[in-house]
Amino acid sequence: MSAKPKVAFFDFAGCEGDQLEIINLEDRLLDLVEVVDIVSFREAMSEHSDDYEIAFVEGSITTQHDLERLEKVRSNADILIAIGACATIAGVNAIRNDQDFEKVKERVYGEDAELFDDPDAELFEAFEKAYPAQAFVDVEYQVPGCPIDGDEFIQMITLLLEGGDPSLPNHAVCVDCKIEENTCTFERGETCLGPITRGGGCDATCVTQGARCWGCRGMVDNPDDDVYEEVLQEYDVTTEQLVNEFTLYWSWERNPEYPAEPPEVQQ
């Protein structure tokens, strides 16, 4: 990696809120451009270059066009980093993965769903399911969350530039809740994905603010073996019940697919 590596940001299917979080870093973003050369960032600049070493990708892969763009980004970059829930675990876009795709189109587009059958409409051909970047290409690192946490993003890229290991932690959000001295969500009579959701970057901010963990950072590795299973047993809740209750972010992660060939497109 060069002394001042060239980096680029790319968006796929998503709200682009993660890139907005990076822009909102303001002064710290100015510090960042002192150590990296940003050559492409559609939300922040008009210039673009395909000459970069590190690529950040946000959003899910939902069309053949997305897949072709992702493969091009992968071929250009030495290091590819997925940012946000949609890029790391397919996020809210994957809610459709367990549903009838025709009904999904009707629900979203109403009468205009018929345009998908009209070749003259020239719409992008969509995959029946939404996928994270890792389903199709190698991804070196991830910054999870919906949206990502700006501090975690800065820590990750700082470690990377200093030759450290920016791999994700593998402890549950419950650990962060204890550090924040939060009252357990289960003690408030609610269920929560904190016991099996990857912590270490969000500081349990949702629970701290009085909400509950929705799992936007994805599952910890081997959640069935997690010591926090004791919490679920105490409140007579199984891991399966928890996962079934919360489908907002985990539809792909519950049944991960890594297609060897591009999925069949749906008109």
Side-chain angles (χ1 to χ4, degrees):
M1 188 183 305
S2 61
K4 189 175 183 180
K6 297 176 181 177
V7 305
F9 293 82
F10 300 93
D11 46 83
F12 295 89
C15 68
E16 302 184 17
D18 303 302
Q19 293 175 84
L20 185 59
E21 284 295 310
I22 295 169
I23 293 173
N24 286 341
L25 290 171
E26 298 180 343
D27 289 346
R28 286 184 293 171
L29 183 59
L30 295 177
D31 293 336
L32 181 63
V33 298
E34 293 293 325
V35 293
V36 300
D37 183 9
I38 300 176
V39 300
S40 186
F41 195 165
R42 188 180 58 81
E43 280 203 9
M45 55 193 281
S46 56
E47 295 83 357
H48 169 76
S49 171
D50 287 323
D51 180 16
Y52 45 83
E53 298 162 81
I54 303 172
F56 294 94
V57 297
E58 175 185 12
S60 308
I61 307 305
T62 63
T63 68
Q64 181 65 29
H65 179 68
D66 285 345
L67 179 54
E68 292 170 1
R69 285 184 59 225
L70 177 66
E71 291 175 337
K72 181 180 178 182
V73 170
R74 174 68 273 186
S75 66
N76 287 341
D78 296 328
I79 297 173
L80 190 145
I81 302 171
I83 57 173
C86 288
T88 56
I89 55 174
V92 295
N93 289 314
I95 291 175
R96 76 195 208 200
N97 288 13
D98 298 322
Q99 303 182 45
D100 182 283
F101 191 55
E102 293 304 315
K103 292 182 178 177
V104 170
K105 288 189 291 187
E106 291 175 5
R107 192 177 304 125
V108 174
Y109 299 104
E111 296 180 355
D112 289 341
E114 297 177 358
L115 293 175
F116 284 93
D117 299 321
D118 181 359
D120 294 333
E122 298 183 346
L123 300 180
F124 284 125
E125 297 174 331
F127 296 153
E128 187 170 336
K129 298 181 179 180
Y131 298 87
Q134 62 175 306
F136 298 108
V137 299
D138 291 334
V139 174
E140 276 76 21
Y141 303 108
Q142 300 182 355
V143 184
C146 182
I148 62 169
D149 181 88
D151 288 335
E152 186 175 27
F153 173 80
I154 290 293
Q155 291 168 8
M156 184 280 299
I157 196 167
T158 300
L159 270 173
L160 181 63
L161 296 177
E162 292 178 348
D165 180 11
S167 297
L168 292 174
N170 190 40
H171 66 257
V173 169
C174 288
V175 173
D176 300 322
C177 264
K178 291 183 181 299
I179 294 173
E180 298 296 324
E181 300 182 344
N182 289 331
T183 299
C184 180
T185 307
F186 289 92
E187 292 184 6
R188 302 200 314 243
E190 301 179 74
T191 52
C192 172
L193 282 182
I196 50 177
T197 295
R198 189 184 305 277
C202 66
D203 297 329
T205 184
C206 291
V207 181
T208 302
Q209 298 301 318
R212 53 185 177 172
C213 176
W214 291 87
C216 72
R217 292 175 58 80
M219 295 185 198
V220 292
D221 298 337
N222 304 313
D224 289 339
D225 299 327
D226 196 279
V227 296
Y228 292 96
E229 192 170 349
E230 295 177 6
V231 176
L232 305 184
Q233 292 175 351
E234 180 178 350
Y235 293 96
D236 196 25
V237 179
T238 66
T239 301
E240 184 177 358
Q241 285 175 311
L242 264 188
V243 172
N244 286 338
E245 182 175 344
F246 293 84
T247 57
L248 184 60
Y249 291 103
W250 288 9
S251 292
W252 180 84
E253 201 168 25
R254 291 172 59 192
N255 299 292
E257 293 183 34
Y258 297 84
E261 299 292 335
E264 183 178 351
V265 295
Q266 303 294 318
Q267 295 292 339

